[in-house]
Amino acid sequence: MPNSNAKLHSNHRGGREASRRELVSRSLQSAQHCLENQDFGTAYAHYLLVLNLAPELKTTVKETFQFTLFKWAEELDSLARIQDLFNCYEQALELYPNDEVICNSMGEHLFRMGFRDEAAGYFHKAVKLNPDFTDARENFYRVANWLVERWHFIMLNDAKRNLTYLKAIENAVHSGSKSVLDIGTGTGILSMFAKKAGASFVYACELSKTMYELARDVVAANNMEREIKLLHLKSLDIEIPKHIPERVSLVVTETVDAGLFGEGIVESLIHAWEHLLLQPK
């Protein structure tokens, strides 16, 4: 009897495997037929079925799946079916989470729809996955030009201004301020000043996704990624001890353009003083 049961189970598994292969084969044929008839939506659905049933075929059908996805996305875009478009890309990225071509295409759709900060995130990921991907690099620089204010570049090249900040931070740290919070860190320059001055703990928050990613790259290029904790957060959303372990002894910020009013920096500084900064005894 045991041998008989084992044989039945084996036959059952064999039957299920044969059925799976048959369904995958038919779905692939149907997908190809739909592509020939430019029925991209149905072809996309067939490929989703194939990839879920036979993940071992991911490499084999990758290029055709990408082509189908992009064609179907164009059609959805023309029909203003935005949520369906995003759903398709989310499904595709679940199947191919490290595909720079899909990430770049998702970013292009987001950019055209006005979601520039989100688009920058996808372009940045595509470049990280493949630094030689020219289209993604050009897209990232293009969207960065939209998002990074021109005054920021002016400030970065203002040697006198930067030297003044450096001296002020050095004085504060040497006077005993060993934990620092940088609000609106931008490229991370003030955080790096604080760390080089000898601060034991440096935290930096940045709301813009593009600037946050840029700060990560700049900090890493200066070998400080383990010494400066970057937070993609608004300072008002920082919680102790969830994001930083305790109150800091020094708050620095360089957000002193029109954003002083438009981005709520006054409220941020008040919040930092009341909740994040050590109070004098």
Side-chain angles (χ1 to χ4, degrees):
M1 286 295 292
N3 289 336
S4 178
N5 287 335
K7 185 175 181 180
L8 285 173
H9 285 300
S10 177
N11 289 338
H12 182 61
R13 286 195 300 270
R16 284 191 302 178
E17 176 61 21
S19 297
R20 183 186 73 90
R21 288 199 300 265
E22 177 66 18
L23 181 55
V24 167
S25 177
R26 289 185 179 183
S27 294
L28 283 172
Q29 292 174 8
S30 297
Q32 187 60 42
H33 178 73
C34 290
L35 286 178
E36 291 171 359
N37 289 285
Q38 297 189 347
D39 183 358
F40 300 114
T42 306
Y44 175 76
H46 279 298
Y47 277 119
L48 281 184
L49 178 61
V50 167
L51 290 168
N52 279 285
L53 287 175
E56 68 273 13
L57 295 178
K58 282 184 178 181
T59 302
T60 304
V61 303
K62 180 179 177 180
E63 290 188 8
T64 310
F65 174 76
Q66 288 176 341
F67 172 81
T68 306
L69 167 66
F70 300 155
K71 286 294 186 180
W72 179 224
E74 289 176 6
E75 194 171 322
L76 291 172
D77 193 6
S78 68
L79 296 171
R81 292 172 55 183
I82 306 306
Q83 190 56 57
D84 289 336
L85 185 153
F86 287 151
N87 288 342
C88 286
Y89 273 97
E90 288 176 1
Q91 292 166 340
L93 286 170
E94 285 180 6
L95 292 166
Y96 297 96
N98 296 318
D99 188 291
E100 69 273 18
V101 178
I102 295 177
C103 287
N104 183 65
S105 180
M106 175 66 157
E108 289 176 339
H109 280 286
L110 287 165
F111 184 79
R112 285 197 296 269
M113 294 174 190
F115 300 107
R116 291 173 181 144
D117 208 17
E118 293 83 353
Y122 281 97
F123 293 145
H124 186 266
K125 181 178 179 181
V127 173
K128 284 290 186 182
L129 290 168
N130 182 1
D132 296 325
F133 189 5
T134 304
D135 287 351
R137 292 183 68 87
E138 291 179 354
N139 282 333
F140 180 71
Y141 293 142
R142 179 162 58 110
V143 74
N145 284 333
W146 284 89
L147 294 170
V148 181
E149 296 87 343
R150 292 294 181 263
W151 58 263
H152 200 93
F153 293 110
I154 295 172
M155 291 194 318
L156 286 175
N157 289 290
D158 189 338
K160 183 178 179 180
R161 176 191 180 95
N162 293 336
L163 183 59
T164 301
Y165 268 105
L166 175 60
K167 289 181 177 179
I169 291 171
E170 285 178 340
N171 289 338
V173 172
H174 295 164
S175 297
S177 297
K178 296 300 183 181
S179 56
V180 180
L181 171 63
D182 180 5
I183 295 178
T185 191
T187 57
I189 186 170
L190 299 189
S191 295
M192 291 187 290
F193 284 170
K195 194 62 194 176
K196 287 181 178 180
S200 302
F201 305 99
V202 180
Y203 312 98
C205 64
E206 176 56 56
L207 182 59
S208 166
K209 178 68 173 175
T210 303
M211 292 307 300
Y212 167 75
E213 296 288 357
L214 182 59
R216 288 182 60 186
D217 288 344
V218 172
V219 168
N222 285 273
N223 299 314
M224 292 187 181
E225 64 269 30
R226 295 183 179 179
E227 301 174 331
I228 298 173
K229 182 176 181 180
L230 287 165
L231 303 167
H232 181 215
L233 285 172
K234 191 175 182 180
S235 63
L236 294 171
D237 295 330
I238 295 176
E239 299 177 15
I240 298 172
K242 181 179 179 180
H243 301 115
I244 61 177
E246 58 187 2
R247 293 188 178 202
V248 298
S249 52
L250 176 67
V251 170
V252 296
T253 186
E254 204 174 11
T255 46
V256 290
D257 71 322
L260 183 66
F261 306 102
E263 298 301 325
I265 193 63
V266 173
E267 291 84 351
S268 297
L269 292 174
I270 292 173
H271 171 76
W273 173 257
E274 292 178 344
H275 301 287
L276 305 175
L277 188 64
L278 286 171
Q279 300 297 309
K281 295 182 179 179

